[in-house]
Amino acid sequence: LRVLFVGNSYTQFHALPLVVRRVVQSIDPDARIQVESVTHPGWDLARHWTFGEARRRIEHGHFTHVVLQGHSLSALRDPAALRGAVGQFQSVIGEAGARTVLYETWARAEGADVYEEGLATSPTEMQARIDRTYHELARSIGGTVARVGPAFLHVESMMPGEQLYQPDQSHPT
């Protein structure tokens, strides 16, 4: 497996690509997996597309999978722009013979500014909207969704009182 992660601080935090590699190798010690990433804090996929580094890596990297992680608020603020950027990347990913995995982000913590701004009413509602957007995108491009958001909410429900968010109420601990 050769996996390229394209995203922002959500992918960069805690060296996620290396964690994924370790998980795969813990399941199958003989697994051959290489991971690489193109991450820039705060970037959305449209900015990655415009900058071009991720596109060039996909075109020349011989990846089997490309994991696309959009900005955590893209599915709420501008789902059309997210769809457009995913579509652009999908054309290059398909041409390169790789598979697309959409890294579905998680809802912000209860009390985060997004709820006061009116982008969502609650973490549950926010996650439902993110889910819909990512699943529609995956269906439209024939990709797969990494259901990170629902997993995050599940862990939160199983571990009440555990601090899963940084003080910014967005990034994971």
Side-chain angles (χ1 to χ4, degrees):
L1 295 171
R2 286 188 45 79
V3 184
L4 176 67
F5 289 80
V6 178
N8 55 43
S9 57
Y10 276 26
T11 298
Q12 198 173 34
F13 241 71
H14 307 298
L16 179 67
L18 297 177
V19 171
V20 169
R21 187 182 77 201
R22 287 184 191 129
V23 168
V24 169
Q25 290 174 328
S26 74
I27 294 166
D28 179 0
D30 296 326
R32 297 183 63 195
I33 179 170
Q34 294 177 321
V35 295
E36 296 181 29
S37 63
V38 178
T39 59
H40 296 282
W43 281 27
D44 61 15
L45 291 173
R47 190 164 180 192
H48 274 290
W49 179 261
T50 300
F51 188 68
E53 177 187 1
R55 186 172 9 141
R56 287 187 294 279
R57 298 271 292 277
I58 293 165
E59 290 171 340
H60 305 292
H62 306 288
F63 294 101
T64 59
H65 297 78
V66 177
V67 179
L68 299 175
Q69 181 252 306
H71 188 278
S72 61
L73 298 177
S74 292
L76 301 174
R77 285 195 175 138
D78 198 351
L82 177 60
R83 277 192 284 286
V86 167
Q88 289 173 307
F89 272 109
Q90 178 57 34
S91 65
V92 175
I93 293 167
E95 183 83 17
R99 295 181 64 192
T100 303
V101 178
L102 301 176
Y103 180 105
E104 178 187 2
T105 58
W106 51 88
R108 300 280 172 99
E110 188 75 46
D113 291 346
V114 295
Y115 306 114
E116 293 173 18
E117 295 169 19
L119 288 176
T121 59
S122 68
T124 303
E125 191 256 341
M126 182 177 178
Q127 192 60 57
R129 289 177 56 200
I130 293 169
D131 289 351
R132 272 194 307 278
T133 299
Y134 275 85
H135 286 274
E136 288 169 7
L137 278 170
R139 275 193 298 278
S140 72
I141 64 166
T144 302
V145 177
R147 302 198 65 213
V148 180
F152 198 91
L153 285 182
H154 177 72
V155 169
E156 189 174 39
S157 73
M158 298 298 292
M159 301 173 70
E162 189 68 33
Q163 185 59 33
L164 298 180
Y165 296 92
Q166 296 287 335
D168 67 3
Q169 298 178 308
S170 173
H171 289 89
T173 58

